[in-house]
C-alpha cells in the first residue's frame, strides 16, 4: 500500500506543515487537561460553506480527507475508482447527546431531524463524499483501539481485489463534555498535561485529544511518502530502524510495551503531541510516514525514561527503511504494522 | 464464464418473523406479520413495531450483541466451523447502528440533571463492539470489523467479509448484522416524518413509511476448497458485492437511483452474470416514499418490469444495521427453498414506481438472487447469492 497523500487536523493545526511545526516545537501544555481542536481551524470559508449544519467530527473528517486527496494530486479520471474508509472509535457522540437533549427537553416526538441525521456514524464520510463528489465505495467502521488497523486491512483488501485503485483511509474522533466526564471517572488524567509513553505504567495517565488523519493510498509503482505493510520479511530487531509506540494511557496497563525491547532497539513515541485518542495509531503512523519521507527522525516530545530504553530524543537526519508502529490493546494483544521506504 | 464464489456454510436468523429458520419459513408461508405495540421501552410515539419475542437472555450484554450471539449460534451449529477455529483464520464482520452509539438515555439524563451518572451502560457499550466481542468470545484469529454504514451496514459487513476472503486475509468469515429497537432511531426516524402509524406497505401506492424492527442475520462464508476439505458440501454461494455512494444527500437517495444502479451492476459484474440470470431480488423496500420510488425504478431499469421481487420488511420491520444481514439470510434461504413469500403489505400498484412486488408465495427458478440495501449517507449496496 503506497501512501501518496496525507492530511491532518489536530490540536496544533491543519496540514502537514502544522505537524512538522509541532514536531519541531515539541510538547505543549494542553488547555483544560485535553487537546481540543481550536475552532478557527474549522473556519475554511470555501469548504465550510457546504457544511454549515455539520458537527466537528464531520468537519475534521472532510478537512483531513480533502487535504490528503489534494496532496496526492489525484487526476479527475482517477477519482472514478476512489474509495473512502473512515475509522472512528466513538463516532459523533456529542451530536448523539445533543439529540438526547432534544428528547429530554422537548419529548421524543419533537426531536430535531437535522441532529438525528448527523448523529449517525457515517454522516462524516457522507459529507466527504458529497464535497469530493466521490461515487465509489464509502465505508465507516468502528473498533475502538483497532479501528485504524482494521481500516488498513480493509483498504489493502480493496486494493488487492481491485475494488478501488485509490483509497482515502483515515480516522476521526472528537472529544466532548460527556466524554470528559467518562474519562475523568474511568481513567487517570495527567494533571501535569504530559502523556508519558515510556513510563510503561500499570496505571498510565492520559491527556484526551481529538483530531483526524487521512492517507491517500494507491496501488502505484512508487510512493510519494512511504508504504504500509502488515508483515516484513525481516529479521526483526536488526532491520527495523525505529519502533514507534502508540502508548497514550487509553488502554490500561502499558507494561506490555516493555516486551518490545527484546525485539527492537530504538524507540520513539509522539502521543504527547496529539493527546490520548483510541484511533491515535493513525497519528503515530503519519509521523512515521513523514520520517520515512524526510529520512529524518523526530525527537520524542516527552522523554521520562525510567527503564533507560534506547530512546529517540533528538531530531536528526537518519537513514530509515522500516519503522514499526505498535499499539497494545487492553488485553495485551499487539497490533503492529510497518511503514517502509 | 463463472466468476469467483465463496461457500455459504451456515446461516442464522432472529427477527420478528421468527427466532430461527423454521419459524421464519412458517411465518413466510402463512404471511403472518408479528407486529405490535412497543414494549421494550417507553415512548410517546405511537406506531407499530416488530419486536423479537420470546427471547430471554440472562446476559448483561447489550441486546444487539445478544441478538447477534443467537444468530451466530445457529449459523455455527449448521457450519460446524467452531471445530476448526484453531486451524482456520476466522474473521468477524458485523454491521450495526445502535450498538455503535453511546446513547443510553438514563445515563445521559442523570449526567445532565445531576452532574453524575453510574457508568454501567458505558461499560456495557465499551464491551459491546459486536465484532470485537464475538471474535474474542470464540477466540477467533482472523480480522474483525464492525461496520457502521447506517442501514446498509449488514450488507456491507458481508461485502467486507468477501473482500477479506478475496485478499486472503482469512479462510472463513462470520458476517451479517444485528440491531435492537432503541429510542434514538425511533425518535429520529419519526422526526424525519418517515415512520408509519400503520403496518408498513413496501412499494404500495399508499405507503406511509417504515415500521422499525430488530434482529440479527448472520451468514458464514468461506473458501470453497476449505469448506469441502472439512467435509462440508456447500449448496449456496456468495458471488458478488457492489457498493457505491450517491454523493448527494445525508438522508435522501439520489432521485435518479444512479448510485444503486452502480452498486447492483458492480455486484453483477463481480458474479459475471447478466441481469436476466437473476431469479429474484430481495429489495431494501422500506416503505418510505423516496426509497421505494427510487429503488423500484432502478430494479425496473436493470431487470425489466417482470422481475420477481419483494420486500421482507413487511415481516421484520426495518431492522437498520441488521437489515442487510437478515435479508441476505432470507435470500439464501429462499433460493434453497425455491420460493419467495408474498411481499407483505403490498396491495395497490404505484404508477410512479411502475413495477410491483410479488403478492403471493411464488415459485422461483434459476440460480441467482440479489439483495439490496440503501442507507443514510447515500450508501447503496448489493449482494449476489447463488445456489447450485
Amino acid at each position: 500500500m503506497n501512501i501518496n497523500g496525507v492530511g491532518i487536523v489536530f490540536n496544533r493545526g491543519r496540514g502537514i506543515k502544522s505537524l512538522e511545526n509541532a514536531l519541531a516545537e515539541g510538547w505543549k501544555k494542553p488547555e483544560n487537561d485535553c487537546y481540543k481542536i481550536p475552532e478557527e481551524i474549522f473556519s475554511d470559508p470555501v469548504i465550510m460553506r457546504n457544511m454549515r449544519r455539520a458537527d466537528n467530527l464531520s468537519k475534521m473528517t472532510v478537512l483531513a480527507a480533502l487535504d490528503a486527496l489534494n496532496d496526492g494530486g489525484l487526476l479527475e479520471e482517477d477519482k472514478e475508482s476512489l474509495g473512502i474508509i473512515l475509522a472512528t472509535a466513538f463516532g459523533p457522540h456529542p451530536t448523539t447527546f445533543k439529540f438526547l437533549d432534544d428528547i429530554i427537553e422537548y419529548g421524543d416526538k419533537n426531536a430535531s431531524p437535522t441532529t438525528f441525521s448527523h448523529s449517525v456514524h457515517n454522516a462524516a464520510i457522507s459529507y466527504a463524499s458529497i464535497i469530493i463528489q466521490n461515487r465509489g465505495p464509502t465505508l465507516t467502521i468502528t473498533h475502538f483501539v483497532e479501528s485504524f488497523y482494521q481500516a488498513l486491512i480493509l483498504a489493502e483488501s480493496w486494493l488487492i481485489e481491485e475494488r478501488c485503485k485509490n483509497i482515502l483511509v483515515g480516522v476521526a474522533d472528537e472529544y466532548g463534555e460527556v466524554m470528559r466526564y467518562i474519562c475523568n471517572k474511568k481513567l487517570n488524567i495527567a494533571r501535569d498535561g504530559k502523556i508519558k509513553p515510556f513510563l510503561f505504567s500499570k496505571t498510565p495517565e492520559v491527556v484526551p485529544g481529538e483530531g483526524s488523519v487521512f492517507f491517500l493510498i494507491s496501488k502505484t509503482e512508487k510512493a510519494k511518502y512511504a508504504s504500509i505493510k502488515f508483515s516484513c520479511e525481516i529479521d526483526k530487531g536488526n532491520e527495523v530502524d525505529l519502533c514507534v509506540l502508540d502508548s497514550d494511557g487509553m488502554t490500561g496497563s502499558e507494561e506490555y510495551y516493555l516486551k518490545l525491547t527484546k525485539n527492537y532497539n530504538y524507540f520513539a513515541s509522539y502521543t504527547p503531541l496529539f493527546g490520548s485518542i483510541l484511533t491515535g495509531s493513525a497519528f503515530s503512523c503519519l509521523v512515521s510516514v513523514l520520517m520515512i519521507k524526510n529520512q529524518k527522525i523526530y525527537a520524542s516530545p516527552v522523554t521520562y525514561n525510567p527503564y533507560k530504553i534506547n530512546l529517540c530524543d533528538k531530531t536528526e537526519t537518519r537513514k530509515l527503511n522500516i519503522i514499526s508502529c505498535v499499539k497494545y490493546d487492553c488485553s495485551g494483544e499487539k497490533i503492529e504494522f510497518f511503514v517502509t521506504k | 464464464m463463472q466468476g469467483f464464489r465463496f461457500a455459504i456454510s451456515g446461516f442464522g436468523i432472529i427477527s420478528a418473523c421468527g427466532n430461527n429458520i423454521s419459524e421464519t419459513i412458517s411465518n413466510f408461508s402463512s404471511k403472518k406479520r408479528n407486529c405490535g405495540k412497543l414494549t421494550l421501552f417507553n415512548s410517546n410515539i405511537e406506531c407499530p413495531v416488530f419486536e423479537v419475542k420470546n427471547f430471554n437472555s440472562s446476559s448483561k450484554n447489550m441486546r444487539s450483541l445478544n441478538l447477534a450471539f443467537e444468530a451466530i449460534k445457529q449459523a455455527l451449529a449448521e457450519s460446524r466451523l467452531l471445530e476448526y477455529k484453531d486451524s482456520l483464520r476466522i474473521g468477524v464482520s458485523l454491521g450495526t447502528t445502535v450498538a455503535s452509539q453511546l446513547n443510553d438515555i438514563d445515563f445521559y439524563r442523570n449526567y445532565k440533571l445531576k452532574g453524575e451518572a453510574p457508568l454501567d451502560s458505558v461499560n456495557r457499550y465499551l464491551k459491546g463492539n459486536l465484532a470485537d466481542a464475538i471474535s474474542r468470545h470464540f477466540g477467533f484469529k482472523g480480522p474483525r470489523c464492525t461496520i457502521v454504514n447506517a442501514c446498509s451496514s449488514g450488507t456491507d459487513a458481508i461485502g467486507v467479509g468477501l473482500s477479506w476472503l478475496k485478499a486472503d486475509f482469512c479462510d472463513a468469515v462470520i458476517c451479517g448484522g444485528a440491531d435492537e429497537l432503541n429510542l434514538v432511531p425511533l425518535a429520529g426516524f419519526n422526526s424525519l416524518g418517515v415512520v408509519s402509524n400503520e403496518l408498513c406497505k413496501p412499494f404500495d401506492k399508499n405507503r406511509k413509511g417504515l415500521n422499525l424492527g430488530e434482529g440479527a442475520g448472520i451468514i458464514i462464508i468461506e473458501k470453497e476448497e476449505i469448506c469441502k476439505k472439512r467435509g462440508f458440501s456447500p449448496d449456496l454461494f456468495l458471488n458478488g458485492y457492489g457498493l457505491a455512494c450517491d454523493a448527494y444527500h445525508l438522508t435522501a437517495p439520489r432521485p435518479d437511483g444512479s448510485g444503486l444502479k452502480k452498486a447492483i451492476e458492480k455486484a453483477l459484474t463481480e458474479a459475471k452474470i447478466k441481469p436476466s440470470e437473476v431469479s429474484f431480488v430481495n429489495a431494501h423496500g422500506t416503505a418510505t416514499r423516496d426509497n421505494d420510488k427510487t429503488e423500484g425504478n432502478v430494479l425496473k431499469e436493470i431487470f425489466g418490469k417482470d422481475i420477481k421481487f419483494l420486500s421482507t420488511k413487511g415481516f421484520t420491520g426495518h431492522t437498520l444495521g441488521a437489515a442487510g444481514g437478515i435479508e441476505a439470510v432470507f435470500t439464501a434461504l429462499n433460493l434453497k427453498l425455491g420460493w419467495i413469500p408474498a411481499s407483505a403489505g403490498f396491495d395497490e400498484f404505484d404508477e410512479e414506481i411502475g413495477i410491483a412486488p410479488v403478492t403471493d408465495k411464488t415459485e422461483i427458478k434459476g440460480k441467482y438472487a440479489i439483495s439490496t440495501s440503501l442507507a443514510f449517507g447515500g450508501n447503496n449496496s448489493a449482494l449476489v447469492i447463488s445456489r447450485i
Side-chain angles (χ1 to χ4, degrees):
Chain A
M1 269 192 300
N2 288 338
I3 297 173
N4 290 328
V6 296
I8 180 170
V9 175
F10 71 127
N11 173 257
R12 307 276 278 271
R14 170 187 170 192
I16 204 72
K17 199 75 199 160
S18 301
L19 175 58
E20 286 180 318
N21 288 342
L23 287 162
E25 289 163 10
W27 175 82
K28 271 190 176 175
K29 193 170 172 57
E31 284 180 28
N32 300 319
D33 294 334
C34 67
Y35 288 112
K36 288 275 287 178
I37 298 172
E39 275 300 315
E40 61 265 25
I41 288 176
F42 299 123
S43 61
D44 186 314
V46 179
I47 299 169
M48 292 307 149
R49 192 170 52 206
N50 298 315
M51 300 190 69
R52 288 190 302 272
R53 294 172 170 182
D55 56 24
N56 282 359
L57 190 82
S58 293
K59 287 176 182 173
M60 67 175 86
T61 299
V62 167
L63 291 175
L66 260 183
D67 286 351
L69 187 67
N70 292 334
D71 186 34
L74 210 59
L75 299 171
E76 204 55 42
E77 60 260 33
D78 289 333
K79 286 188 185 170
E80 277 295 303
S81 57
L82 179 70
I84 311 181
I85 301 169
L86 171 69
T88 177
F90 296 111
H93 55 88
T95 307
T96 301
F97 294 127
K98 198 172 154 196
F99 189 71
L100 294 182
D101 276 333
D102 270 10
I103 293 176
I104 292 168
E105 286 172 28
Y106 307 114
D108 57 3
K109 284 171 115 172
N110 301 301
S112 156
T114 305
T115 310
F116 174 63
S117 61
H118 287 78
S119 74
V120 180
H121 269 56
N122 68 336
I125 213 70
S126 170
Y127 268 113
S129 296
I130 291 168
I131 287 169
I132 293 167
Q133 275 302 295
N134 172 53
R135 309 287 304 276
T138 303
L139 209 63
T140 304
I141 68 167
T142 180
H143 203 104
F144 298 133
V145 178
E146 284 186 30
S147 297
F148 179 59
Y149 180 72
Q150 295 297 342
L152 288 177
I153 288 179
L154 181 57
E156 172 94 322
S157 302
W158 281 4
L159 288 180
I160 290 171
E161 61 165 336
E162 296 181 340
R163 191 169 295 281
C164 304
K165 287 182 184 160
N166 302 284
I167 302 168
L168 280 169
V169 57
V171 305
D173 265 303
E174 193 180 354
Y175 189 62
E177 283 310 305
V178 184
M179 200 55 80
R180 178 189 295 276
Y181 170 76
I182 293 169
C183 285
N184 274 314
K185 284 275 187 183
K186 289 186 73 73
L187 302 168
N188 305 309
I189 306 294
R191 298 301 166 194
D192 62 356
K194 283 184 177 170
I195 295 170
K196 301 171 189 74
F198 310 109
L199 207 53
F200 306 133
S201 167
K202 269 186 187 172
T203 53
E205 293 179 332
V206 304
V207 181
E210 64 177 13
S212 179
V213 167
F214 264 86
F215 301 92
L216 177 67
I217 61 161
S218 311
K219 219 176 172 178
T220 48
E221 277 184 27
K222 286 185 178 174
K224 180 177 170 182
Y225 284 91
S227 298
I228 292 179
K229 293 177 179 172
F230 294 104
S231 62
C232 277
E233 301 300 320
I234 50 171
D235 177 11
K236 290 179 186 175
N238 288 327
E239 292 188 37
V240 168
D241 300 296
L242 182 67
C243 179
V244 174
L245 310 180
D246 193 37
S247 41
D248 64 0
M250 286 291 274
T251 51
S253 174
E254 292 186 339
E255 289 179 306
Y256 303 116
Y257 287 93
L258 268 173
K259 288 192 248 176
L260 293 168
T261 55
K262 287 180 189 164
N263 298 324
Y264 301 129
N265 51 33
Y266 198 39
F267 297 90
S269 179
Y270 304 94
T271 53
L273 290 183
F274 312 110
S276 309
I277 311 173
L278 276 182
T279 46
S281 42
F283 294 80
S284 300
C285 177
L286 179 54
V287 178
S288 305
V289 165
L290 207 57
M291 289 194 283
I292 291 280
K293 160 88 173 157
N294 295 341
Q295 291 293 288
K296 183 180 181 182
I297 50 169
Y298 296 103
S300 301
V302 173
T303 55
Y304 291 106
N305 187 11
Y307 292 95
K308 304 213 180 308
I309 63 169
N310 191 13
L311 204 63
C312 168
D313 56 5
K314 67 177 178 188
T315 298
E316 60 185 7
T317 303
R318 192 169 180 132
K319 195 178 166 199
L320 295 165
N321 287 315
I322 302 174
I323 296 175
S324 154
C325 296
V326 179
K327 174 100 186 166
Y328 280 95
D329 70 11
C330 310
S331 64
E333 198 171 313
K334 186 169 77 166
I335 301 154
E336 181 173 30
F337 58 88
F338 301 90
V339 179
T340 69
K341 195 173 173 184
Chain B
M1 189 170 69
Q2 189 178 298
F4 69 84
R5 65 181 193 181
F6 293 106
I8 297 175
S9 59
F11 47 72
I13 189 87
I14 179 164
S15 75
C17 189
N19 290 11
N20 50 51
I21 294 293
S22 62
E23 285 181 22
T24 300
I25 294 171
S26 167
N27 284 320
F28 274 170
S29 292
S30 61
K31 213 174 165 179
K32 190 174 175 200
R33 306 180 73 184
N34 298 316
C35 195
K37 282 189 173 176
L38 181 66
T39 65
L40 288 167
F41 52 85
N42 295 322
S43 170
N44 296 311
I45 300 164
E46 287 177 18
C47 60
V49 292
F50 286 84
E51 291 180 349
V52 171
K53 299 291 185 189
N54 305 316
F55 174 62
N56 298 315
S57 173
S58 56
S59 161
K60 288 180 180 171
N61 291 332
M62 294 178 85
R63 186 171 169 87
S64 299
L65 182 54
N66 287 333
L67 291 165
F69 265 118
E70 174 56 33
I72 287 168
K73 195 177 75 184
Q74 297 171 26
L76 284 171
E78 186 187 359
S79 74
R80 306 191 311 274
L81 193 64
L82 265 188
E83 297 165 32
Y84 302 87
K85 72 167 185 150
D86 294 327
S87 57
L88 295 179
R89 297 166 301 162
I90 300 172
V92 181
S93 175
L94 298 172
T96 190
T97 62
V98 173
S100 67
Q101 287 190 321
L102 181 51
N103 65 7
D104 187 282
I105 194 149
D106 293 329
F107 159 77
Y108 185 65
R109 189 181 279 119
N110 275 321
Y111 163 80
K112 191 176 155 77
L113 300 178
K114 299 176 189 167
E116 64 176 314
L119 294 183
D120 302 3
S121 60
V122 175
N123 294 333
R124 196 162 53 241
Y125 163 73
L126 291 172
K127 288 176 184 165
N129 182 287
L130 295 187
D132 190 61
I134 301 285
S135 181
R136 285 180 195 279
H137 174 83
F138 290 108
F140 293 143
K141 290 184 286 199
R144 47 201 183 204
C145 197
T146 299
I147 312 298
V148 281
N149 245 20
C151 302
S152 64
S153 299
T155 300
D156 292 325
I158 295 169
V160 165
L162 180 144
S163 293
W164 287 344
L165 288 172
K166 282 171 82 178
D168 194 32
F169 273 106
C170 54
D171 305 308
V173 189
I174 292 168
C175 48
D179 245 329
E180 69 197 73
L181 266 170
N182 179 279
L183 179 61
V184 169
L186 178 62
F189 282 107
N190 185 63
S191 73
L192 288 163
V194 296
V195 172
S196 174
N197 57 6
E198 300 168 3
L199 265 175
C200 66
K201 300 168 77 67
F203 297 106
D204 188 272
K205 185 180 180 180
N206 301 310
R207 65 192 181 280
K208 290 182 177 171
L210 55 82
N211 304 141
L212 282 179
E214 62 175 359
I218 298 293
I219 67 172
I220 293 176
I221 52 176
E222 58 183 302
K223 291 177 180 171
E224 192 175 351
E225 66 274 19
I226 287 175
C227 196
K228 284 180 173 168
K229 215 178 203 174
R230 60 186 191 83
F232 196 96
S233 300
D235 55 0
L236 292 164
F237 300 90
L238 179 64
N239 302 68
Y241 165 59
L243 165 65
C245 187
D246 280 347
Y248 172 72
H249 192 270
L250 244 56
T251 57
R254 190 177 272 269
D256 67 4
S258 55
L260 177 61
K261 197 176 164 201
K262 192 175 168 184
I264 293 173
E265 286 172 347
K266 170 69 180 165
L268 291 170
T269 303
E270 277 202 3
K272 293 199 169 133
I273 61 167
K274 290 179 275 194
S276 58
E277 293 178 79
V278 173
S279 56
F280 74 93
V281 177
N282 185 314
H284 190 59
T286 55
T288 60
R289 301 296 317 173
D290 284 350
N291 179 91
D292 291 8
K293 184 182 167 189
T294 302
E295 190 177 17
N297 277 295
V298 168
L299 295 183
K300 185 174 62 181
E301 188 184 338
I302 295 178
F303 300 103
K305 64 179 175 49
D306 295 327
I307 182 70
K308 289 171 183 161
F309 76 102
L310 78 162
S311 166
T312 42
K313 289 189 173 66
F315 289 103
T316 62
H318 190 355
T319 57
L320 308 179
I326 288 173
E327 287 154 25
V329 171
F330 289 164
T331 305
L333 176 66
N334 288 131
L335 271 171
K336 197 167 184 158
L337 293 170
W339 57 267
I340 51 176
S343 190
F346 176 83
D347 292 315
E348 195 171 340
F349 186 78
D350 185 346
E351 293 289 348
E352 277 193 337
I353 296 175
I355 185 171
V358 296
T359 51
D360 292 303
K361 183 176 167 179
T362 303
E363 187 186 347
I364 47 126
K365 290 174 182 159
K367 280 172 63 175
Y368 297 97
I370 281 197
S371 178
T372 55
S373 290
L374 289 80
F376 272 15
N379 286 307
N380 304 275
S381 309
L383 297 170
V384 175
I385 294 173
S386 69
R387 71 174 178 199
I388 283 179

